[in-house]
């Protein structure tokens, strides 16, 4: 079935029989609280195993792809056992361990300098077995380890680099699979306090700045599942301890894990509400602490394949999870102190579950090339994270527009700029239900939005819909081959971004946008953006990077300027081949992204056997007014 175009038009207000309009809407400051992702590296939990896993080209390309989402889409990466990258060397004459931070430093550099992300540093590791070898000195050794690790980073780069880092205690300490040190409850509480002391003692900035205030670094914990108290005593005892004396409580942000049971956003939210209600009933003082659900996923166990995780449904569930948490936060109930949610979906999927595991990308391990290599296809959930990044700095509460008696469309409106600032920007996300009753009317499919932000403005709408933005569907239609060939990979990549639906100018102040979704297959998500002409213009793309995928194929990515990309329509990627003499002159620049909608800062180029990837690359953005940004710097790529 082919998706039909929506009827959509910009009309004068007086002509509209408005069903859904923007009346007096109250906007609240919207922290982008959903921008963390995480994963657990495959392999043995040793320095060697974790290093090999995190240094593997497949994992690094997976992370590069995630980093190639719109700016601000993913800001924090939570990686279990990251501190196993620290290598134990020896005990010094005083019995203090000496560590080699080289691999940890390299990875942090990669994360910072190339991916522009900050780590969530979980203090869970056992370098050289120091902790298990010295059970009676654990408190001291943890304090020392935490302090050494932070001081090392501060010494290398100054404390500014650590500004956005998050620090967390041992993941799910009540689970045998994670509790590798065999913490008893008492030892665990001592460990948390030791980590707190280590953080505090490392917390001073550069010595040179005498008047600098010591920097306080918040500690998150216990990253717990909080099942029955007798089964999960470590996490519950920590809360007990904190409730007795909040001032002495080692944690500043209460983190927990609540996933859905059946794969829905309501599930996740209900689990959180139930847990926090229980916690606040027993430990009322903790109501003061910010809370975060580190693993707010629709269903447990990332490995288990589920069809919904492959297609548009997971993307819509993730957006809905964000909207519902926003609603719950505004409702001032148990989630009033919500600080963030994180998605545990940065894993590397494996055969034969390329699309269906809980991941942002489909990973194809191409064993038939020499050497083998990895191909990645961005799933609709990846596109969904990119859409969320376009939300503004203030948002109204989630609104529901009824489709029929049982189903409604969720709407989240946001804005930026306006009062005193330069220009205005509106971003609204519409989210359909997964299904609707048979009796809904055309009337129930019309959303009319007041777009009056300025006399001169322009709008753009993009869609996530079944089939036409669904690489999994394209793959299945071709028989789900384990090694998709170049033409199938291109076909999948052509549908991996949100689809450009409609864009154009708005000339009149009192204009409204009418969206008719009657002929769109469910479920769908739509992002509408409206920009006033005085909104800051697109800046030039930065840090253009060309990475090898395999022979004759490259992954091209670049960085976006944070304040100017809200009104981006698409990117253009230009290439100039080196001629056979290696000379630059003589050939013309070629628009290699012709016909592609590229709202996100990456492009995979595979010209096929007749073409070459050797040559020069540059990119630029085009905004909704059809104005182009300056070109990025030109970067040369040469295959070995
Ligand atoms: C649309 O928004 C403008 C500007 O905020 C306002 O003046 C106008 O009354 C609104 N129209 C409707 C129908 O809400
Ligand atoms: C932890 O306990 C398990 C089971 O009791 C045991 O097999 C393991 O050796 C212990 N590990 C350490 C480091 O003491
Ligand atoms: C969530 O809780 C609400 C209120 O208790 C209930 O109406 C709803 O059915 C629950 N949803 C799920 C998916 O459990
Ligand atoms: C490719 O090889 C790896 C390692 O042997 C294996 O795990 C994987 O399943 C293979 N992939 C396919 C598609 O057969
Ligand atoms: C839009 O243009 C009309 C007519 O030129 C003018 O009266 C009105 O003040 C303008 N509004 C804004 C917000 O610039
Ligand atoms: C590529 O794979 C698709 C689907 O498996 C197939 O239909 C097509 O013929 C293949 N193309 C080439 C050039 O082999
Ligand atoms: C930009 O160009 C497209 C395609 O030519 C056109 O449909 C659109 O109306 C233009 N936008 C503006 C703001 O002029
Ligand atoms: C490559 O070039 C040859 C000869 O010009 C042509 O027959 C063939 O169709 C081309 N292949 C592709 C994939 O463009």
């Amino acid at each position: 079935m082919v998706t039909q175009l929506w009827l959509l038009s910009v009309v004068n207000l007086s002509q509209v029989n408005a069903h859904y309009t923007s009346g007096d809407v109250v906007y609240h400051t919207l922290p982008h609280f959903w921008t963390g992702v995480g994963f657990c590296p495959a392999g043995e939990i040793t320095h060697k195993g974790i290093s090999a896993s995190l240094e593997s080209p497949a994992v690094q390309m997976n992370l590069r792809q995630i980093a190639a989402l719109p700016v601000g889409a993913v800001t924090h990466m939570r990686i279990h056992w990251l501190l196993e990258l620290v290598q134990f060397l020896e005990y010094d004459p005083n019995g203090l361990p000496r560590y080699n931070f080289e691999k940890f430093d390299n990875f942090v550099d990669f994360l910072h300098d190339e991916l522009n992300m900050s780590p969530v540093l979980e203090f869970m590791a056992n370098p050289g077995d120091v902790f298990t070898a010295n059970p009676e000195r654990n408190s001291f050794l943890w304090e020392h380890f935490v302090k050494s690790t932070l001081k090392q980073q501060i010494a290398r780069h100054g404390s500014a680099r650590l500004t956005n880092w998050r620090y967390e205690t041992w993941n799910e300490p009540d689970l045998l699979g994670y509790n590798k040190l065999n913490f008893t409850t008492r030892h665990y509480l001592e460990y948390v306090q030791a980590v707190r002391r280590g953080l505090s003692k490392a917390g001073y900035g550069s010595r040179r700045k005498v008047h600098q205030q010591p920097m306080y670094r918040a500690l998150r914990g216990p990253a717990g599942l909080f099942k029955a108290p007798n089964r999960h005593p470590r996490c519950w005892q920590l809360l007990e301890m904190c409730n007795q004396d909040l001032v002495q409580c080692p944690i500043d942000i209460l983190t927990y894990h609540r996933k859905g049971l059946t794969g829905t956003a309501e599930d996740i939210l209900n689990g959180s509400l139930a847990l926090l209600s229980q916690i606040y009933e027993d430990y009322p003082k903790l109501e003061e602490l910010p809370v975060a659900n580190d693993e707010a996923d629709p269903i447990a166990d990332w490995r288990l394949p589920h069809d919904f995780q492959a297609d548009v449904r997971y993307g819509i569930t993730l957006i809905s999870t964000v909207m519902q948490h926003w609603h719950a936060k505004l409702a001032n109930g148990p989630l009033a102190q919500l600080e963030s949610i994180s998605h545990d979906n940065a894993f590397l999927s494996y055969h034969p579950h390329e699309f269906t595991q809980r991941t942002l990308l489909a990973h194809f391990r191409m064993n038939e090339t020499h050497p083998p290599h990895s191909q990645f296809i961005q799933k609709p959930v990846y596109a969904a994270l990119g859409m969320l990044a376009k939300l503004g700095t203030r948002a109204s509460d989630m609104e529901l527009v009824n489709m029929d008696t049982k189903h409604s469309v969720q709407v989240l409106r946001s804005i930026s700029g306006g009062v005193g600032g330069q220009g205005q920007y509106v971003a609204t996300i519409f989210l359909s239900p997964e299904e609707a009753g048979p009796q809904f009317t055309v009337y129930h499919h019309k959303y009319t939005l007041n777009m009056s932000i300025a006399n001169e403005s322009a709008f753009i709408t993009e869609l996530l819909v079944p089939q036409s933005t669904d690489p999994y569907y394209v793959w299945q239609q071709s028989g789900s081959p384990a090694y998709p060939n170049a033409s199938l990979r291109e076909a999948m990549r052509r549908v991996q971004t949100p689809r450009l639906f409609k864009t154009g100018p708005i000339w009149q102040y009192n204009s409204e946008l009418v969206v008719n979704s009657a002929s769109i297959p469910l479920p769908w998500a739509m992002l509408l953006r409206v920009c006033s002409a005085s909104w800051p213009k697109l800046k030039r793309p930065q840090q253009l990077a060309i990475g090898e995928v395999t022979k004759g194929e490259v992954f091209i990515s670049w960085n976006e300027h944070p304040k100017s990309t809200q009104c981006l329509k698409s990117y253009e990627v230009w290439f100039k081949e080196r001629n056979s003499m290696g000379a630059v002159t003589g050939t013309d620049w070629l628009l290699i992204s012709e016909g592609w909608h590229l709202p996100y800062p990456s492009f995979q180029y595979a010209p096929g056997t007749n073409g070459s990837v050797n040559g020069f690359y540059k990119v630029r953005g085009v905004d909704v007014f059809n104005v182009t940004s300056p070109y990025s710097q030109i970067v040369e790529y040469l295959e070995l």
Side-chain angles (χ1 to χ4, degrees):
M1 191 176 74
V2 175
T3 302
Q4 290 182 15
L5 290 190
W6 294 12
L7 172 84
L8 183 148
S9 54
V10 180
V11 295
N12 197 292
L13 249 191
S14 56
Q15 299 166 358
V16 178
N17 175 14
H19 171 61
Y20 170 78
T21 54
S22 34
D24 289 332
V25 184
V26 181
Y27 289 97
H28 313 265
T29 299
L30 174 70
H32 286 209
F33 58 83
W34 56 83
T35 61
V37 299
F39 71 103
C40 186
E44 229 184 89
I45 306 164
T46 57
H47 175 67
K48 244 177 130 173
I50 298 297
S51 304
S53 182
L54 291 179
E55 283 167 4
S56 76
V59 166
Q60 298 223 336
M61 182 57 90
N62 188 44
L63 295 176
R64 275 184 201 284
Q65 290 263 357
I66 293 170
L69 275 160
V71 61
V74 172
T75 57
H76 287 86
M77 185 62 73
R78 184 170 177 268
I79 305 175
H80 292 339
W81 311 114
L82 185 60
L83 280 168
E84 283 291 346
L85 291 180
V86 177
Q87 189 183 15
F88 169 76
L89 293 176
E90 60 185 1
Y91 294 99
D92 75 5
N94 299 323
L96 276 181
R98 290 206 314 112
Y99 297 108
N100 176 349
F101 290 97
E102 190 182 336
K103 282 184 188 289
F104 178 72
D105 287 343
N106 289 345
F107 190 83
V108 166
D109 288 350
F110 172 62
L111 206 60
H112 266 266
D113 304 341
E114 297 188 50
L115 309 184
N116 291 302
M117 291 180 196
S118 300
V120 178
L121 206 54
E122 295 171 288
F123 293 108
M124 51 189 295
N126 189 20
D129 293 333
V130 282
F131 299 116
T132 39
N134 303 281
E136 71 296 340
R137 293 175 66 215
N138 258 248
S139 263
F140 172 77
L141 290 172
W142 271 109
E143 179 184 324
H144 174 257
F145 180 57
V146 171
K147 195 174 65 183
S148 307
T149 303
L150 263 76
K151 280 200 182 285
Q152 160 78 5
Q153 289 302 310
I154 294 169
R156 284 182 85 224
H157 302 284
S159 58
R161 165 179 271 210
L162 284 70
T163 313
N164 295 317
W165 286 31
R166 293 175 178 168
Y167 310 94
E168 195 166 32
T169 56
W170 200 287
N171 184 64
E172 298 183 356
D174 288 301
L175 261 58
L176 285 177
Y178 284 113
N179 185 7
K180 298 281 180 204
L181 303 188
N182 287 354
F183 285 127
T184 62
T185 300
R186 183 171 65 82
H187 287 136
Y188 171 72
L189 296 178
E190 285 168 6
Y191 146 86
V192 180
Q193 287 165 307
V195 170
R196 173 67 269 169
R197 284 195 305 277
L199 267 188
S200 297
K201 291 187 179 174
Y204 297 87
S206 148
R207 284 252 174 76
R208 278 163 288 148
K209 295 181 189 159
V210 182
H211 300 296
Q212 198 175 13
Q213 289 289 312
M215 184 185 281
Y216 184 78
R217 300 177 206 286
L219 179 61
R220 315 160 80 85
L225 275 173
F226 289 102
K227 295 288 160 70
N230 60 336
R231 285 175 54 213
H232 286 189
R234 294 164 193 81
C235 290
W236 286 108
Q237 283 300 312
L238 180 65
L239 299 194
E240 170 81 43
M241 181 174 105
C242 285
N243 191 58
Q244 277 169 19
D245 185 358
L246 201 54
V247 179
Q248 297 298 318
C249 175
I251 56 165
D252 307 278
I253 298 168
L254 195 165
T255 59
Y256 64 91
H257 301 166
R258 268 296 174 277
K259 297 184 198 275
L261 299 170
T262 61
T264 68
E266 294 90 67
D267 254 7
I268 305 173
L269 187 71
N270 274 15
S272 278
L273 291 173
L275 173 64
L276 290 171
S277 304
Q278 185 189 351
I279 288 176
Y280 295 152
E281 200 174 306
D282 296 344
Y283 308 115
K285 286 192 191 148
L286 302 188
E287 281 189 52
E288 287 176 35
L289 293 183
V291 298
N293 186 352
D294 279 336
E295 298 188 6
D297 304 300
I299 200 157
D301 199 342
W302 78 273
R303 291 174 201 83
L304 288 182
H306 296 282
D307 255 6
F308 85 87
Q309 288 179 157
D311 61 32
V312 171
R313 286 172 291 174
Y314 181 26
I316 287 170
T317 300
L318 187 145
I319 297 177
S320 180
T321 302
V322 169
M323 285 192 187
Q324 297 198 33
H325 278 78
W326 174 237
H327 175 69
K329 183 173 168 63
L330 290 177
N332 236 345
L335 275 165
Q337 295 273 40
L338 181 70
E339 185 257 358
S340 64
I341 60 173
S342 180
H343 322 282
D344 214 25
N345 61 8
F347 293 93
L348 197 61
S349 69
Y350 54 78
H351 184 69
H353 310 303
E354 283 83 354
F355 276 99
T356 47
Q357 289 175 326
R358 194 211 299 138
T359 62
L360 289 164
L361 296 127
H363 170 222
F364 289 93
R365 186 67 187 163
M366 308 296 278
N367 288 336
E368 87 304 14
T369 61
H370 303 286
H373 76 284
S374 286
Q375 289 279 348
F376 290 91
I377 308 292
Q378 298 161 5
K379 286 165 44 171
V381 62
Y382 178 99
L385 267 180
M387 290 167 98
L388 284 167
K390 299 293 181 185
L391 287 172
T393 54
R394 284 165 288 149
S396 63
D397 198 352
M398 181 177 77
E399 296 157 76
L400 297 177
V401 181
N402 291 335
M403 277 188 135
D404 56 43
T405 48
K406 286 208 199 74
H407 307 92
S408 33
V409 170
Q410 301 177 348
V411 184
L412 181 65
R413 298 188 225 200
S414 73
I415 53 173
S416 286
V419 244
Q422 193 188 5
Q424 267 184 295
Y425 169 76
V426 166
T428 302
I429 294 182
F430 296 80
L431 220 52
S432 83
E434 269 206 35
E435 51 184 35
Q439 75 282 32
F440 53 22
T441 63
V442 172
Y443 175 72
H444 288 109
H445 285 271
K446 267 194 188 157
Y447 317 104
T448 308
L449 202 67
N450 186 346
M451 300 206 303
S452 299
I453 61 171
N455 272 355
E456 256 188 280
S457 43
F459 76 96
I460 180 169
T461 45
E462 291 168 305
L463 292 172
L464 274 189
V465 264
Q467 300 179 9
S468 66
T469 64
D470 183 359
Y472 181 54
Y473 174 77
V474 170
W475 184 58
Q476 286 179 310
Q477 293 296 102
S478 293
S480 310
Y483 306 120
N485 62 26
S487 50
L488 177 55
R489 295 197 305 265
E490 176 175 331
M492 290 192 283
R493 292 199 173 104
R494 283 194 181 268
V495 299
Q496 73 184 354
T497 56
R499 198 174 89 202
L500 172 62
F501 181 57
K502 190 122 185 176
T503 180
I506 304 170
W507 295 118
Q508 223 166 345
Y509 185 60
N510 246 357
S511 293
E512 291 210 339
L513 182 78
V514 182
V515 177
N516 185 344
S517 66
S519 53
I520 296 289
L522 300 168
W524 49 261
M526 182 180 83
L527 169 67
L528 161 74
R529 289 177 283 152
V530 184
C531 294
S532 69
S534 52
W535 187 259
K537 290 287 164 251
L538 275 181
K539 302 252 178 9
R540 81 194 296 212
Q542 307 283 326
Q543 267 186 290
L544 178 62
I546 321 291
E548 180 184 16
V549 174
T550 184
K551 184 152 177 28
E553 190 160 356
V554 289
F555 179 68
I556 306 163
S557 61
W558 53 94
N559 290 344
E560 300 183 310
H561 187 274
K563 291 258 157 57
S564 78
T565 52
Q566 284 87 347
C567 302
L568 176 92
K569 179 163 71 181
S570 183
Y571 284 106
E572 291 178 351
V573 185
W574 294 80
F575 173 66
K576 180 149 120 163
E577 197 175 330
R578 235 174 201 284
N579 69 19
S580 51
M581 309 303 290
V584 186
T585 50
T587 45
D588 285 330
W589 283 102
L590 193 68
L591 178 61
I592 53 177
S593 62
E594 178 96 64
W596 290 75
H597 179 52
L598 295 182
Y600 299 168
S602 74
F603 183 62
Q604 190 142 331
Y605 184 47
T609 42
N610 289 353
S612 163
V613 292
N614 284 335
F616 302 87
Y617 294 83
K618 63 181 181 182
V619 298
R620 67 176 179 183
V622 182
D623 72 11
V624 293
F625 296 96
N626 295 328
V627 175
T628 53
S629 76
Y631 282 108
S632 69
Q633 282 189 313
I634 294 169
V635 170
E636 182 176 9
Y637 180 79
L638 189 58
E639 268 185 335
L640 295 177

